[in-house]
Amino acid sequence: MYLREAVEAFSRTRDPELLRMILREHGKTGFSIACRAAGISRGAGKRLLGIYNDNGAIAQIAKQAAGLKTSRWQ
């Protein structure tokens, strides 16, 4: 399926299987374009597919709550 057709279909339906197909066939760029066309963030698209890993964000929040200074580069 062409990227344009897939993106148009995803922006209308927001079907996770269609987004998964876009990611598989067109890579990260196609995934980003599809998410932008649907009006969702890439993180929301990853959550829709169940591939979002937020362990780093959770660890950073826990360290800040414990009073430790944190940075993104550890």
Side-chain angles (χ1 to χ4, degrees):
M1 179 181 277
Y2 291 114
L3 179 59
R4 178 176 293 182
E5 296 169 356
V7 167
E8 288 173 0
F10 176 70
S11 65
R12 279 186 309 232
T13 63
R14 292 193 182 182
D15 180 30
E17 290 306 314
L18 193 55
L19 185 59
R20 191 177 316 276
M21 186 272 306
I22 292 170
L23 180 60
R24 184 178 58 245
E25 291 185 8
H26 301 285
K28 291 180 181 179
T29 305
F31 178 80
S32 296
I33 292 170
C35 290
R36 185 176 298 156
I40 61 174
S41 68
R42 288 187 323 232
K46 288 180 179 181
R47 285 185 204 98
L48 189 65
L49 297 180
I51 58 174
Y52 185 74
N53 184 1
D54 57 356
N55 290 338
I58 292 172
Q60 189 172 11
I61 291 170
K63 287 178 184 177
Q64 287 174 347
L68 301 174
K69 287 189 174 184
T70 61
S71 68
R72 292 186 86 28
W73 307 104
Q74 290 185 353

